[in-house]
Amino acid sequence: MSDENPGIDAVAPPWIADQSESLLAQRGHAWLLQGPSGLGQYALALSLVRAWLCEHPTAQGACGYCGSCHAIAVRTHADLCVLMPETEMLALGWPLSEKAQTEIDDKKRKPSREIRVEAMRDAVEFSQRTSARGRGKAVLVYPAERMNTITANALLKTLEEPPGDVRFVLASEAAHQLLPTIRSRCLGHSMQWPSETASLSWLQAQGASPADARIWLRASGGRPSDALSLARSGRDAKSWALFPKAMAQGDVSAVQNWAPPDLIDALQKLCHDMMATAMQALPRFFQSADLPKVPAMPPLVQWSKSLMASARTAEHPFNPGLMLESLVSQAQNALNSGR
Ligand SMILES: [Zn+2]
């Protein structure tokens, strides 16, 4: 997304801009932005570091046109250190270290899904250097829960004895997984849920039709950033309504081009909604009318556990085609058992 257009950073959704303004009005050298995924943790973190480093910041945040704002837009700011898993860096258009890029280009290894110890060492060294542009320095960590114990401890040392002019923003989608000592060193901010109206009009401003915006917002459980990823995934919004019954019928052709992690995500949502319906609660991701008849609860619970186990191995399946088939047949069994 933003790798195609670095300038897109400048256009934060209104609810992110509001939160940014309120955090900028407070003092703090380390923020922890927390909440479930899809609420814009990364956008808010970026908005904060842009404002901290900007040459002409206002109460609303960065100016958007100074040398510092430009350097961030083109991903070459000497006073900004971005600590992310390599997979995220690549997806969001941030350059890797020369060494890491060469190792990946030479196929010595795949991009890491964790924040690597080497990257953390570079970040510690970065925080001890003097600021190049004289507006201090910033370290952005996202998603912070992807640090292992070694990297987290290295960061903790720097947080405990911050070298003067460096500020931190940790953005997390699972803050409970962070070391308590890290959490206690940061000022916490819980991400706000935007209203449905605000989310829908933002999605439409990003190019989704009103009908698609509504479907994808529902499919993402009301999380606008996730809804935008779905809208841009190339999938047909209408197929979301047909998905539950296709699964009950074991129709693999309905999902044949899907990546296994996407299918697992959709099946987890379906499983959630079936369990909710079984307990007389409202479904969250699908419309009631689109769901198949409710099966017995025990198979649903079993299915939910299997999906969680699959989610852990879905990134590198032995055979993606076989994995799709087995996930669909498992869904069909669970949805048709004992009713
Ligand atoms: Zn600026």
Side-chain angles (χ1 to χ4, degrees):
M1 275 177 254
S2 41
D3 49 337
E4 289 158 17
N5 177 11
I8 203 165
D9 296 348
V11 195
W15 60 89
I16 296 295
D18 291 349
Q19 293 175 76
S20 173
E21 188 175 341
S22 119
L23 297 189
L24 288 170
Q26 303 171 52
R27 293 194 172 277
H29 87 275
W31 281 103
L32 170 60
L33 314 179
Q34 51 196 338
S37 72
L39 294 183
Q41 280 86 331
Y42 169 72
L44 180 54
L46 194 60
S47 172
L48 290 180
V49 299
R50 287 176 77 240
W52 288 341
L53 299 173
C54 176
E55 288 156 25
H56 311 289
T58 66
Q60 281 74 44
C63 72
Y65 56 78
C66 71
S68 167
C69 287
H70 177 74
I72 293 179
V74 298
R75 311 296 199 235
T76 57
H77 200 300
D79 292 330
L80 172 62
C81 171
V82 170
L83 264 179
M84 291 185 201
E86 290 167 347
T87 47
E88 302 283 332
M89 302 274 287
L90 295 169
L92 293 165
W94 292 96
L96 303 182
S97 77
E98 210 173 304
K99 182 164 174 282
Q101 189 65 56
T102 311
E103 286 169 2
I104 293 166
D105 289 345
D106 295 350
K107 302 212 162 26
K108 285 190 185 135
R109 60 181 182 84
K110 289 192 169 162
S112 168
R113 294 179 41 76
E114 268 196 344
I115 295 173
R116 299 182 78 227
V117 182
E118 289 79 357
M120 181 58 76
R121 283 197 199 113
D122 292 347
V124 170
E125 204 185 273
F126 163 89
S127 55
Q128 286 155 356
R129 283 203 298 265
T130 28
S131 150
R133 288 175 163 267
R135 302 246 356 135
K137 288 173 297 175
V139 177
L140 189 165
V141 190
Y142 169 79
E145 65 273 15
R146 301 259 195 99
M147 290 185 286
N148 63 27
T149 324
I150 301 170
T151 35
N153 275 304
L155 177 69
L156 184 60
K157 280 215 174 74
T158 317
L159 282 174
E160 280 170 339
E161 297 159 33
D165 62 350
V166 58
R167 290 195 267 189
F168 297 83
V169 55
L170 281 65
S172 175
E173 293 168 354
H176 59 278
Q177 291 173 13
L178 295 174
L179 293 180
T181 38
I182 287 208
R183 288 204 303 266
S184 68
R185 285 282 157 189
C186 299
L187 284 172
H189 170 73
S190 296
M191 297 296 298
Q192 287 162 15
W193 286 79
S195 71
E196 192 184 2
T197 321
S199 303
L200 288 174
S201 60
W202 177 71
L203 285 167
Q204 287 173 42
Q206 309 305 308
S209 73
D212 286 7
R214 200 165 278 285
I215 293 172
W216 290 134
L217 188 63
R218 184 171 184 97
S220 66
R223 302 169 189 188
S225 307
D226 285 359
L228 185 62
S229 305
L230 285 170
R232 290 179 171 171
S233 68
R235 269 190 255 164
D236 179 8
K238 285 179 215 80
S239 68
W240 185 252
L242 305 174
F243 176 77
K245 284 175 185 157
M247 292 302 98
Q249 287 158 8
D251 181 4
V252 184
S253 71
V255 296
Q256 60 185 351
N257 297 321
W258 291 31
D262 293 340
L263 178 58
I264 293 170
D265 179 64
L267 290 171
Q268 284 182 315
K269 288 170 176 168
L270 176 55
C271 184
H272 167 278
D273 277 6
M274 295 306 289
M275 291 206 266
T277 310
M279 293 182 288
Q280 329 289 318
L282 285 175
R284 180 167 177 209
F285 305 102
F286 297 92
Q287 306 271 13
S288 294
D290 296 331
L291 294 174
K293 284 209 183 69
V294 178
M297 197 64 173
L300 286 179
V301 173
Q302 195 52 49
W303 183 30
S304 161
K305 284 184 189 157
S306 309
L307 285 171
M308 263 191 269
S310 306
R312 286 193 285 272
T313 56
E315 290 298 332
H316 304 291
F318 178 63
N319 180 328
L322 278 182
M323 185 160 191
L324 292 185
E325 273 177 37
S326 102
L327 285 166
V328 172
S329 109
Q330 187 185 53
Q332 185 185 17
N333 287 335
L335 291 168
N336 289 285
S337 51
R339 59 158 196 252

